[in-house]
Amino acid sequence: MDFKTSDKVNLHYSDTGDIDKPTMLGIPGIGGSSQMWGKVIELFKDKFRFIVLDPRNQGSSERTYKGQRISRHAADVEELLVNLNLTNVIGIGNSMGASNLWSYLSIYGPGRFSAIVDLDQSPKMIADKSWQYGFKDLTWDNYPDYLKLDFGKAFYNHIDDSMFNKAKQENAKHPYNPDDNYKCLINHAEEDWRDVLIDAQLPMLVLAGKNSPFFDYHFTEAIKILNEKIGIEVISNCGHLIQAEQPVKMHDAIMKFLTKNNLL
């Protein structure tokens, strides 16, 4: 399914369509799409309507020069939820998808969300004296040129063959070009969402992949220092793509979090 944003960009989303159930919204990381969320959708669909939005320039969404900034991605989320008339949504963002949700909170407050789940994204990508848990070896000294490097695969554990093949087929049909989305990556990397986490006005859970090739999972402990109310959990035998590598562990952690916060 597609919808058109206020700046005239067609965005694609998948939707289980169960309008009588509470809604979960998944947002992939940069370069990703809804295809890597298949197993998670299966696990949650008995209790939830599950929607996954392909961000602009990704998956089956339109390729465009417009809106390569996290604030525009947050506006895309708001416009999708308004278009579908959804409230009390549980937002789940992997990597940059989590940053999109934090940007949403910074602009709209809780808005149409009842809870936020972060899948392996540190709130600050550039390491400095105030924050040591950045993206790999990214610092202000090598930013932004460091982001042009090939960082290899994002996952550590095996991904279901069927799901992986569907993602490959989609990419063959709708190729992702990192050069054409480089401005978005630069903006993503320079943001600092710590203030949003400190002042979080809704329940939040942070899951980290213990074997993530991109982030040191100890960033979860640093987040806990920022705001002790934020839930944290480290997923073992897992890289950066928690939703694809460890869907069962992710499902169980989120269900425990929702139960604890009376959101079921």
Side-chain angles (χ1 to χ4, degrees), residues 120-139:
D120 205 56
Q121 175 63 49
S122 170
K124 183 169 165 32
M125 295 270 283
I126 301 177
D128 56 26
K129 291 181 179 178
S130 72
W131 186 261
Q132 67 185 74
Y133 300 107
F135 173 78
K136 292 181 75 69
D137 295 320
L138 181 64
T139 67

Side-chain angles (χ1 to χ4, degrees), residues 6-181:
S6 59
D7 63 342
K8 311 304 181 186
V9 176
N10 287 315
L11 297 185
H12 175 80
Y13 65 95
S14 65
D15 186 355
T16 57
D18 302 311
I19 61 175
D20 59 330
K21 297 177 181 177
T23 302
M24 286 184 165
L25 172 67
I27 306 178
I30 194 165
S33 78
S34 58
Q35 296 300 330
M36 285 294 189
W37 294 69
K39 292 298 180 181
V40 162
I41 292 171
E42 289 180 10
L43 290 166
F44 280 110
K45 68 180 182 180
D46 285 347
K47 293 184 179 297
F48 294 92
R49 176 182 183 180
F50 208 111
I51 297 169
V52 183
L53 173 65
D54 287 348
R56 52 183 63 206
N57 289 319
Q58 298 177 210
S60 296
S61 287
E62 182 179 344
R63 271 50 179 169
T64 178
Y65 67 93
K66 293 188 287 188
Q68 291 191 38
R69 62 189 67 88
I70 302 301
S71 59
R72 179 63 245 190
H73 282 236
D76 292 342
V77 171
E78 170 69 359
E79 291 175 14
L80 172 63
L81 298 182
V82 169
N83 184 266
L84 297 176
N85 193 28
L86 293 172
T87 57
N88 297 315
V89 176
I90 298 161
I92 307 173
N94 174 226
S95 193
M96 191 181 75
S99 294
N100 293 350
L101 293 173
W102 291 331
S103 180
Y104 181 102
L105 295 180
S106 74
I107 298 169
Y108 303 101
R112 293 173 176 267
F113 288 97
S114 61
I116 297 294
V117 180
D118 161 24
L119 304 179
D120 205 56
Q121 175 63 49
S122 170
K124 183 169 165 32
M125 295 270 283
I126 301 177
D128 56 26
K129 291 181 179 178
S130 72
W131 186 261
Q132 67 185 74
Y133 300 107
F135 173 78
K136 292 181 75 69
D137 295 320
L138 181 64
T139 67
W140 287 114
D141 291 332
N142 59 27
Y143 167 85
D145 290 343
Y146 182 79
L147 298 170
K148 295 180 180 179
L149 299 178
D150 181 358
F151 297 109
K153 65 182 184 180
F155 56 93
Y156 171 83
N157 196 20
H158 178 75
I159 295 174
D160 175 80
D161 290 336
S162 175
M163 193 163 58
F164 191 81
N165 288 333
K166 287 180 180 178
K168 287 178 63 177
Q169 291 168 11
E170 180 187 61
N171 193 59
K173 187 176 181 180
H174 304 287
Y176 175 73
N177 188 332
D179 293 336
D180 292 343
N181 208 32

